[in-house]
Amino acid sequence: MGNRTPLYEEHLRANAKMVDFGGWDMPINYGSQIEEHNQVRQDAGMFDVSHMTIVDLSGDKVKPFLQYLLANNVDRLKDKGKALYTCMLNEQGGVIDDLIVYYLGETFYRMVVNAATREKDLAWIEKHAAAYDVTVNVRDDMAMIAVQGPNARDKAHKVLGVAIADQLVDIKPFFMREMGDVIVARTGYTGEDGYEIMLPANQAPGTWRQLVEAGVKPTGLGARDTLRLEAGMNLYGHDMDENTTPLESGLSWTVAWEPEDRDFIGRAALARQKSEGVKRKLVGLVLEDRGVLRDHQKVIVDGEEAGEITSGSFSPTLGKSIAFARVPASVGTHCQVDVRGKLLNARVVKLSFVRNGKPCIDV
Amino acid sequence: MSNIPQELRFTKSHEWVKREEDGTLVIGITDHAQQLLGDLVFVEVPEAGSSFKDSDDCAVIESVKAASDVYCPVAGEVIESNEALADAPETINNDPYGDGWIFKLKPEDEGAYDGLMDADAYAEVVAEDEH
């Protein structure tokens, strides 16, 4: 038996098919993954993301600590509640994890890190926090529900009540608001508008049931994966890991080089890679032949094996198979993929594939 | 709970087999199999005229989650394939024993059909799977 979130019973009640995900018993779907995918693109769906790890960091030197720990620069966060997406690197520039950090005050930040990387992340954070006298507080007392889709905010407002909804009407993307013990962030992992709601674990089942009544449909991790893939969002352990840098994972935009004198873990290695020229990059692939692209299939460029698919599946929105692949930086507009022994043709595209319900590429 | 029609025969790898009056065998995957796979998005049917031995992989079906082989239940020659599945793989999810059939086979040995599992035996396989 794996770890269970506070919403485990709700999943069973909704006939979820449960699977192991990084040591957690999580719903892969509640029937049809494609219907769940479409309901997020067209209306509103919700995910139990309580398995993710919420870490509160506090102390007088928490800001310089995070400026050293993270490749993006928390000094970019000037307004309370603002969120920043960043990688946490090792000395070699490899990605230990990707995470979101929220600015809650000069001496208080919150991070949300992946479930599967929890133990190594916490060990790494604590190892470096000591020198900065930063207190690390893991919030296992909290649950998290992601409500996503074009109608997600309206439906969530009805459930959260007028007092909270009034404070959310003008919330900007990538900001969070704290309202008593409920925290709502306008963030997500689907390419749609919506919220990630952090709340006390004991309130989660009640809120979940109210969201169901408001027409927000439970959505499993299967659809979460195809939604993020369409949205061009990386998944840790597939699209990047400790052996790849952000520069070869489509995440250069998350590395803050300025100011030049900010030393962060992995900076020297990244600077070296940058000056030598980054040889590989992460691109999107759209399969032109029939079939389905899958993780680890080989990418063939000019007749030679040149790279590998890092995440591949079927895009319900485009009706075609799509993937991320790590390929030589010199790749052209087309390549082939070895799909179960057959060479199929694929087009190379810039990420992402779908945003706010609409295709971003020609199909 | 999955549907297991009494009049069909089955394999451990979740194919169903129906014998037509002329001895031709119609083959597809069971309701249980389509439930396990989830939403199907790609089907590659065998070419008419190709021959397979018992348990050869002869078709590919892929769901959003994963790819899976379909095995030939008995030796024989493919006489027709369900080409409509290429554009509508979800037919197998919606009607696994009807419009979701995958191919028709002329068996080498007409008696081979009788060696396949009946519905009760297959129900036991499914019950074990669900534990």
Side-chain angles (χ1 to χ4, degrees):
Chain A
M1 190 181 90
N3 296 314
R4 293 176 173 181
T5 75
L7 293 165
Y8 178 80
E9 295 295 332
E10 300 305 314
H11 303 318
L12 296 191
R13 188 169 312 167
N15 290 320
K17 188 173 174 207
M18 304 298 285
V19 295
D20 173 69
F21 183 85
W24 293 78
D25 286 343
M26 297 301 288
I28 184 86
N29 63 56
Y30 302 82
S32 165
Q33 177 175 333
I34 290 182
E35 276 172 28
E36 289 166 23
H37 178 107
N38 291 338
Q39 80 207 5
V40 171
R41 284 275 177 260
Q42 292 156 13
D43 184 6
M46 64 178 159
F47 309 86
D48 176 11
V49 283
S50 306
H51 60 308
M52 296 188 77
T53 308
I54 301 172
V55 189
D56 285 350
L57 301 162
S58 55
D60 289 341
K61 286 184 278 190
V62 66
K63 185 174 170 186
F65 165 63
L66 289 173
Q67 287 188 291
Y68 175 64
L69 185 76
L70 304 174
N72 211 335
N73 188 358
V74 294
D75 189 47
R76 288 178 171 179
L77 302 174
K78 303 291 189 196
D79 299 308
K80 188 166 179 279
K82 182 84 173 104
L84 185 75
Y85 174 71
T86 179
C87 290
M88 180 165 75
L89 306 179
N90 60 27
E91 293 290 354
Q92 294 73 43
V95 182
I96 293 175
D97 202 4
D98 65 330
L99 58 97
I100 289 183
V101 57
Y102 296 94
Y103 169 64
L104 296 175
E106 276 306 301
T107 60
F108 184 30
Y109 289 78
R110 169 169 290 170
M111 302 200 320
V112 178
V113 306
N114 282 303
T117 50
R118 174 187 171 117
E119 299 309 323
K120 71 163 188 176
D121 287 0
L122 292 175
W124 183 258
I125 292 164
E126 274 162 8
K127 176 180 158 187
H128 294 284
Y132 290 85
D133 276 332
V134 165
T135 305
V136 180
N137 184 16
V138 182
R139 299 298 302 272
D140 285 336
D141 55 321
M142 297 192 83
M144 186 150 57
I145 301 171
V147 186
Q148 303 276 298
N151 301 326
R153 291 181 65 214
D154 280 348
K155 289 183 175 181
H157 289 173
K158 288 191 183 106
V159 168
L160 293 168
V162 178
I164 289 180
D166 279 351
Q167 296 185 61
L168 293 175
V169 171
D170 62 349
I171 189 175
K172 289 186 202 137
F174 241 64
F175 270 86
M176 71 138 76
R177 290 251 165 95
E178 220 175 340
M179 291 147 298
D181 46 14
V182 175
I183 289 157
V184 177
R186 196 170 169 190
T187 50
Y189 194 47
T190 61
E192 297 298 326
D193 201 354
Y195 292 136
E196 291 178 305
I197 302 168
M198 301 178 214
L199 70 176
N202 60 9
Q203 290 179 23
T207 301
W208 180 272
R209 283 197 289 267
Q210 285 180 298
L211 286 164
V212 170
E213 280 164 27
V216 183
K217 300 213 179 65
T219 310
L221 292 182
R224 187 169 166 81
D225 191 50
T226 46
L227 286 159
R228 70 91 194 169
L229 189 68
E230 285 185 350
M233 294 170 166
N234 291 34
L235 174 61
Y236 188 78
H238 291 246
D239 308 311
M240 71 291 198
D241 59 22
E242 293 188 22
N243 299 313
T244 52
T245 71
L247 307 185
E248 50 197 5
S249 307
L251 296 174
S252 299
W253 61 279
T254 70
V255 178
W257 296 100
E258 302 291 335
E260 270 176 45
D261 61 353
R262 181 177 70 101
D263 181 32
F264 61 85
I265 302 170
R267 177 167 190 142
L270 289 192
R272 209 175 309 125
Q273 187 181 41
K274 197 179 175 198
S275 69
E276 288 169 1
V278 185
K279 293 180 181 62
R280 302 183 298 171
K281 66 176 177 182
L282 199 72
V283 297
L285 300 184
V286 179
L287 188 64
E288 298 192 316
D289 295 326
R290 283 185 194 272
V292 185
L293 302 172
R294 304 281 181 192
D295 297 19
H296 306 304
Q297 287 171 346
K298 302 296 175 209
V299 176
I300 317 291
V301 177
D302 297 330
E304 284 185 37
E305 188 179 316
E308 189 176 282
I309 287 184
T310 57
S311 289
S313 190
F314 178 81
S315 160
T317 307
L318 303 179
K320 284 173 181 266
S321 181
I322 59 171
F324 300 168
R326 185 168 284 107
V327 294
S330 60
V331 72
T333 57
H334 288 79
C335 66
Q336 289 180 307
V337 183
D338 183 341
V339 178
R340 302 168 63 89
K342 282 185 194 163
L343 292 185
L344 303 184
N345 295 302
R347 184 156 53 98
V348 179
V349 299
K350 259 181 78 176
L351 298 169
S352 46
F353 303 95
V354 178
R355 276 290 165 104
N356 296 316
K358 305 260 179 340
C360 311
I361 54 162
D362 296 327
V363 286
Chain B
M1 278 287 93
S2 73
N3 173 18
I4 304 173
Q6 279 297 320
E7 67 278 16
L8 302 180
R9 293 295 174 100
F10 300 89
T11 66
K12 270 190 184 158
S13 48
H14 308 292
E15 289 85 13
W16 58 262
V17 184
K18 178 176 153 195
R19 181 155 63 180
E20 306 273 47
E21 276 176 22
D22 64 357
T24 302
L25 304 180
V26 186
I27 292 146
I29 65 161
T30 66
D31 187 36
H32 177 66
Q34 71 79 18
Q35 281 179 25
L36 285 182
L37 285 162
D39 295 314
L40 295 181
V41 295
F42 174 73
V43 181
E44 187 179 272
V45 296
E47 273 179 46
S50 50
S51 290
F52 295 97
K53 293 198 286 290
D54 167 16
S55 302
D56 276 358
D57 53 296
C58 59
V60 179
I61 47 185
E62 300 206 33
S63 69
V64 259
K65 275 182 282 179
S68 179
D69 289 313
V70 177
Y71 300 97
C72 203
V74 300
E77 183 189 332
V78 175
I79 53 171
E80 190 185 346
S81 286
N82 188 355
E83 304 291 345
L85 295 176
D87 289 321
E90 67 278 7
T91 310
I92 293 179
N93 294 117
N94 300 335
D95 191 9
Y97 299 113
D99 290 344
W101 67 278
I102 297 172
F103 63 102
K104 293 181 182 174
L105 191 78
K106 184 172 186 291
E108 244 171 50
D109 166 16
E110 291 209 356
Y113 172 86
D114 298 312
L116 295 169
M117 265 186 281
D118 65 13
D120 291 344
Y122 181 65
E124 278 176 36
V125 172
V126 171
E128 258 174 50
D129 237 27
E130 281 170 356
H131 271 89

